Amino acid sequence: MDSLDLNPQGQTFAVERNPRLRYIIPAVVAVAFLMEQLDSTILITAVPDIAKSLATTPVRMNLAVTTYILTLAMFIPVSGWFADRFGARRIFALALFVFTLGSILCGLATSLPMLIATRALQGFGGAMMTPVGRLILIRSFPRSQLVTAMTYMTLPAVIGPVIGPVLGGFLTTYLSWRWIFWVNLPFGLIGMAMAMRYVEDTERDETIKFDFPGFVMVGVGCVLLQYGIENVGRPTIPVWAIFLTLAAAGMLLAGFIRYAKTAKSPAVDLTLFKLRTFRIGTLAGGICRVGLNGVPFLLPLMLQVGFGLSPIVSGTLTFVSALSTLVVRPVSVKLLKLYGFDRMLTWSAIFGAAVVAGFALITPNTPHWFVILYVFIFGLARAAQFMTSNTLSYSETPAAQLSRATSLGGVLQQLSVSFGVSVAAMLLGLVTLDGSSLTPEKFHVVFLLMAVIPLFGIPGFLKLQPEDGMQVSGHQRRSGQSS
C-alpha cells in the first residue's frame, strides 16, 4: 500500500522525532475541540433563558445554533487551502484568536440578529480551527497510531461536553447566560500559546490558487439548503419561495459537481468519494449522524419546555452523555480489531436508532436516575458511531489529499450536525403548526421520527469489505467470513 503511505517520502513524523509530542500535540488540538464542544453544549442548555432575554422563542433560537454550524460548513473548504498556503500552525493559532473574539462578542449580544452575527464570526474561526487541528494531528502520527492519536486528542476534549451542560445550567441559573460564552477566553489564550510553542509548521505551497467560483457555489448552495429546511417547519417566507430556495440550492450544488470535473484545484475535491472508505465514512456515517445529532437539541428543550425543569436540573440530567465517551474510546481500538469497521458501524447505527426512539418513553414522571442512565446509554451509541465513522474516513486517504480530505470531511460532519438540529426544529414546527404548545407528547413524536434516520446509513455500511481500514483497525477477518 505504498500509494496510501502517510509519509511517502520517508520523512519521520513529529512524534517520532520528539516522543513528548505524542501527548502534547493531541493536547493542543484538544483545546480547540474543548472550546467548540464546551460552547455548543453550554448554549443548548441555556436556549430557553437566552430566548427570553432576547425576546424570541426557544424554537427560533435554533438559528443561533445552526448559524454557527452552517458557517463552519461554508468556510471549512477554505481551511485546507489556507493551511497549505500559509502554514497549518499559523492558521490554527489565528483561528483560535477569531473564535475567542467571537465568543466575547456573543456574550455582549443584545438581540437575536446580533447573536446570530457574532455566532457566525465564531463559526468562521471554528471553520479553520477544528479541521486544521485534525490535519496537524494526522500529519504528526504514523498511520498505525491514528486511532490511538484520535483517542488521546478527544479524551481531554471530552471535558467540554462533560462539564458543559452542568456549567451552562449553573451560569444561566445563578449568574447570566452571557458567561457561557466568556468562559472560552482562558482556553483560547492557552491554546494559542501552546500552538505557537509546540506545533511544527507545515511546508507552504505558494503556487496553489484558491477556487473562488467553486467556493461560492458550494457555500451559497449550503446556505440556501439550510435556509430552505429552516422554513419548512415554521415558514417565514411563502411556500413557493421555500421551493425556489431549495431548487436554487440543488442547482448550485449540482452545478459545482459538474464544474469540479474540469477545475484544476476545486474548492471541494470530489475525487475523494472514489475511495470507498472515505465515501462510506462521510456519507453513510453522515446520514446516521443527522439522526443522532438532533437529540442534544431536542432533549434539553423537552426537559425544560415540555417538563418544566430548570436549566441546572436539565444540565445535570444530560451531562452524562459525554461521560460515555470515556468508556467507548479506550476500548475502541480493541473493538475495531475484533469486529472491523463494517460490524461496528452497522450495529452502532441500529443501537443508536433504538435508543433515540426510546426517548419517547420518558415522561415528566420518569425518575431522574433513570433519565441519567438512559442518556448515558445514548452517549455510548453516539460515541461508538462517531469515532468509528470518523476514523474510517481517513484510514486509507493518500497523503497528498489529506488537507482536502479533512476539509471535505469536516464540511460533511458539520452539515450532519446542522441538519440534525434543523430537521429536529423542522419536525417540532410541523407538529405545532396548529398553534398548539410543545407538550411532552409532541416531543415524543419527533424523537420517533428522528430515530428512523440512522437506519438509512446501514446500506452504505454493508458495502464495506473486510479489508477496509485494516491498516488502522488491525482487523484481519477473512473475506469469505460473514460480515
Side-chain angles (χ1 to χ4, degrees):
M1 287 192 176
D2 293 339
S3 62
L4 298 178
D5 187 6
L6 191 63
N7 195 25
Q9 296 178 346
Q11 300 173 350
T12 56
F13 293 90
V15 298
E16 294 174 328
R17 294 192 297 273
N18 185 354
R20 284 197 315 157
L21 297 180
R22 189 182 306 274
Y23 306 99
I24 294 176
I25 290 180
V28 173
V29 178
V31 170
F33 281 81
L34 173 62
M35 292 175 67
E36 186 177 10
Q37 294 172 10
L38 182 63
D39 183 83
S40 60
T41 52
I42 283 182
L43 177 62
I44 290 296
T45 306
V47 159
D49 275 60
I50 300 176
K52 183 178 179 180
S53 174
L54 301 182
T56 185
T57 64
V59 175
R60 288 289 293 174
M61 274 298 300
N62 81 296
L63 289 172
V65 178
T66 56
T67 294
Y68 169 77
I69 298 169
L70 183 60
T71 308
L72 283 178
M74 182 173 182
F75 288 101
I76 281 176
V78 189
S79 63
W81 180 85
F82 269 87
D84 289 339
R85 178 65 176 78
F86 299 104
R89 180 180 64 184
R90 181 179 299 181
I91 295 302
F92 184 66
L94 179 63
L96 284 167
F97 171 77
V98 173
F99 186 91
T100 305
L101 176 62
S103 299
I104 295 173
L105 295 177
C106 282
L108 298 174
T110 56
S111 65
L112 180 59
M114 181 177 176
L115 180 61
I116 291 173
T118 52
R119 287 284 286 172
L121 180 62
Q122 265 192 318
F124 181 73
M128 305 291 174
M129 186 172 67
T130 307
V132 175
R134 187 183 294 113
L135 176 62
I136 289 172
L137 186 79
I138 294 174
R139 285 179 170 172
S140 300
F141 282 81
R143 178 81 62 176
S144 59
Q145 300 178 26
L146 187 57
V147 176
T148 303
M150 287 190 171
T151 301
Y152 286 153
M153 177 190 69
T154 50
L155 279 177
V158 80
I159 297 174
V162 169
I163 68 175
V166 177
L167 181 60
F170 176 82
L171 293 175
T172 303
T173 303
Y174 298 108
L175 293 175
S176 167
W177 61 265
R178 300 182 187 279
W179 284 94
I180 68 177
F181 295 105
W182 294 337
V183 294
N184 283 326
L185 180 58
F187 297 114
L189 295 176
I190 292 171
M192 283 183 277
M194 292 179 67
M196 297 306 295
R197 172 67 177 84
Y198 294 108
V199 174
E200 294 184 0
D201 213 356
T202 56
E203 185 177 348
R204 306 173 194 176
D205 186 354
E206 299 183 359
T207 63
I208 56 174
K209 294 182 179 180
F210 178 60
D211 177 26
F212 184 76
F215 166 70
V216 170
M217 282 189 279
V218 173
V220 176
C222 289
V223 169
L224 292 177
L225 181 61
Q226 179 71 50
Y227 184 68
I229 293 175
E230 289 284 346
N231 278 275
V232 172
R234 38 174 188 74
T236 58
I237 58 177
V239 175
W240 63 265
I242 297 176
F243 284 107
L244 186 63
T245 300
L246 293 173
M251 290 177 62
L252 282 170
L253 295 175
F256 174 77
I257 293 175
R258 185 172 182 178
Y259 164 83
K261 293 179 180 179
T262 56
K264 185 176 181 181
S265 299
V268 175
D269 186 2
L270 298 181
T271 62
L272 287 162
F273 289 125
K274 295 179 180 180
L275 190 63
R276 185 170 57 242
T277 50
F278 183 85
R279 181 176 67 252
I280 294 175
T282 55
L283 297 183
I287 292 172
C288 191
R289 284 194 292 266
V290 168
L292 299 177
N293 280 326
V295 173
F297 175 75
L298 286 172
L299 186 57
L301 281 181
M302 183 173 75
L303 294 176
Q304 295 180 54
V305 178
F307 295 2
L309 301 179
S310 67
I312 185 67
V313 174
S314 173
T316 304
L317 294 177
T318 57
F319 87 99
V320 294
S321 172
L323 285 176
S324 309
T325 309
L326 295 171
V327 177
V328 170
R329 294 192 183 279
V331 299
S332 59
V333 177
K334 293 182 180 180
L335 289 175
L336 280 174
K337 189 172 183 178
L338 285 173
Y339 301 110
F341 282 103
D342 52 350
R343 288 179 174 178
M344 279 284 291
L345 288 168
T346 300
W347 286 109
S348 63
I350 295 172
F351 182 46
V355 175
V356 173
F359 279 109
L361 300 177
I362 295 178
T363 70
N365 297 322
T366 303
H368 286 183
W369 67 264
F370 183 83
V371 176
I372 293 174
L373 176 62
Y374 197 79
V375 171
F376 180 81
I377 294 173
F378 166 72
L380 292 176
R382 188 168 181 251
Q385 173 63 219
F386 286 18
M387 184 281 301
T388 308
S389 60
N390 286 339
T391 305
L392 174 68
S393 299
Y394 308 108
S395 62
E396 296 181 357
T397 304
Q401 293 180 289
L402 273 178
S403 62
R404 291 184 175 273
T406 54
S407 296
L408 178 54
V411 169
L412 296 173
Q413 184 173 334
Q414 294 303 331
L415 280 176
S416 73
V417 177
S418 179
F419 288 165
V421 174
S422 295
V423 171
M426 177 190 72
L427 293 174
L428 283 177
L430 289 174
V431 298
T432 55
L433 273 179
D434 57 357
S436 59
S437 59
L438 283 171
T439 61
E441 292 74 22
K442 298 292 178 64
F443 282 101
H444 293 164
V445 172
V446 175
F447 274 117
L448 290 174
L449 293 174
M450 293 295 293
V452 178
I453 299 176
L455 301 179
F456 288 108
I458 294 178
F461 300 146
L462 294 177
K463 292 181 180 180
L464 284 168
Q465 299 299 315
E467 66 272 13
D468 287 339
M470 187 188 304
Q471 192 175 359
V472 170
S473 68
H475 182 62
Q476 297 184 6
R477 187 170 72 248
R478 294 179 181 178
S479 300
Q481 191 172 336
S482 173
S483 59

